């Protein structure tokens, strides 16, 4: 069985249109620039909160991505639409 690293980021974003408009370019930038990026799913929660579930091949890939931050325009645009971080966790799929 292959395990992967799962990133769970919960955040507040009151500018839903901006967030959703930036999402496709952010995903394209991740696919082009982030080694080990597998996929991402964005979940809308109540009260302008969102949960971003991102799968990485390894914990090292996730750590390297965190170090890069918003280094490309699509990623920076998505991050700019986030008002506040609620929580961030890392786990392993089983």
């Amino acid at each position: 069985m292959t395990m992967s690293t799962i990133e769970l980021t919960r955040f507040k974003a009151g500018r839903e249109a901006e967030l959703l408009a930036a999402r496709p370019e952010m995903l394209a930038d991740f696919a082009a620039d982030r080694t080990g990026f597998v996929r991402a799913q964005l979940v809308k929660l109540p009260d302008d909160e969102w949960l971003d579930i991102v799968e990485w091949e390894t914990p090292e890939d996730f750590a390297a991505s965190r170090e890069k931050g918003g280094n490309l325009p699509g990623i920076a645009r998505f991050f700019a639409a986030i008002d506040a971080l609620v929580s961030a966790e890392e786990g392993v799929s089983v």
Side-chain angles (χ1 to χ4, degrees):
M1 169 174 31
T2 303
M3 292 192 287
S4 57
T5 297
I6 306 297
E7 169 189 4
L8 301 166
T9 306
R10 188 172 179 150
F11 58 89
K12 285 197 167 277
R15 299 170 306 217
E16 182 175 328
E18 262 181 68
L19 185 79
L20 296 176
R23 185 68 173 185
E25 190 179 350
M26 185 214 87
L27 293 174
D29 283 353
F30 263 42
D33 185 60
R34 308 292 166 108
T35 300
F37 171 72
V38 177
R39 70 177 148 257
Q41 182 177 4
L42 188 61
V43 179
K44 184 174 178 159
L45 304 168
D47 300 322
D48 294 324
E49 284 194 10
W50 297 82
L51 176 65
D52 205 356
I53 304 166
V54 183
E55 183 176 356
W56 300 94
E57 289 179 9
T58 68
E60 294 79 17
D61 293 333
F62 174 42
S65 175
R66 273 191 304 209
E67 287 181 24
K68 287 186 174 188
N71 66 322
L72 294 176
I75 299 168
R77 197 168 132 220
F78 183 81
F79 287 175
I82 294 172
D83 295 332
L85 178 66
V86 174
S87 65
E89 297 180 76
E90 177 181 348
V92 177
S93 67
V94 293

